[in-house]
């Protein structure tokens, strides 16, 4: 729902602005992220540490938006802000664990994992360089 509000607000901004120089830009992007098998290490002060072997991440969607401006005085140099979101969730699965997963239970073997919803959001500020290869007059 929040993503739809951001998209609608961006469309309104683009549709209601006056013509501007070509040096301002905004773009949206989306794509698929194919999860890989990873070892996950957990360190808990109360329980201890454990390593879950070959945890599979689900295929997910990544999306984001970026806007910025190239400088008039230095047209090959610009600045941008980039917002990015990814949801690489972990589905139910059976994995091998080595270490402590609960108080008094330190060993190894197969365990079943439940589902974990993970959301990662980033905001970055970028310095941009470009080559004026096919510049129009």
């Amino acid at each position: 729902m929040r993503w739809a509000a951001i998209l609608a607000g961006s469309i309104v901004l683009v549709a209601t602005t006056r013509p501007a120089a070509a040096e301002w830009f905004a773009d949206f992007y989306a794509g698929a992220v194919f999860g890989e098998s990873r070892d996950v290490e957990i360190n808990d002060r109360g329980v201890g540490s454990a390593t879950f072997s070959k945890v599979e991440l689900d295929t997910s969607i990544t999306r984001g938006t970026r806007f910025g401006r190239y400088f008039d005085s230095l047209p090959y140099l610009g600045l941008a802000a980039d917002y990015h979101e990814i949801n690489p969730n972990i589905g139910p699965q059976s994995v091998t664990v080595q270490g402590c997963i609960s108080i008094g239970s330190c060993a190894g073997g197969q365990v079943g994992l439940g589902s974990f919803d993970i959301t990662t959001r980033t905001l970055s500020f970028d310095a941009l360089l470009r080559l004026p290869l096919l510049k129009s007059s």
Side-chain angles (χ1 to χ4, degrees):
M1 185 67 176
R2 186 181 330 156
W3 185 250
I6 291 171
L7 180 60
S10 299
I11 290 171
V12 168
L13 284 174
V14 169
T16 60
T17 58
R18 298 181 304 172
E23 302 307 318
W24 283 98
F25 68 90
D27 45 50
F28 304 95
Y29 54 90
V33 177
F34 303 101
E36 295 181 355
S37 178
R38 297 275 186 199
D39 290 348
V40 177
E41 186 175 320
I42 297 175
N43 292 306
D44 185 282
R45 290 183 191 189
V47 175
S49 65
T51 301
F52 296 83
S53 299
K54 298 181 181 176
V55 176
E56 293 284 336
L57 296 173
D58 295 342
T59 299
S60 62
I61 294 177
T62 182
R63 56 195 171 266
T65 184
R66 179 177 66 155
F67 66 92
R69 176 169 168 76
Y70 284 97
F71 299 111
D72 292 331
S73 59
L74 299 169
Y76 54 86
L77 181 65
L79 297 175
D82 189 338
Y83 172 80
H84 177 252
E85 184 174 306
I86 183 173
N87 306 94
N89 297 327
I90 298 173
Q93 57 192 283
S94 179
V95 297
T96 302
V97 65
Q98 186 65 42
C100 302
I101 57 174
S102 64
I103 296 175
S105 174
C106 294
Q110 284 294 110
V111 296
L113 289 181
S115 179
F116 296 93
D117 293 332
I118 303 169
T119 299
T120 303
R121 295 180 184 104
T122 60
L123 177 64
S124 65
F125 299 98
D126 309 325
L128 306 171
L129 295 174
R130 68 175 174 181
L131 294 174
L133 297 177
L134 299 173
K135 187 176 178 181
S136 61
S137 338

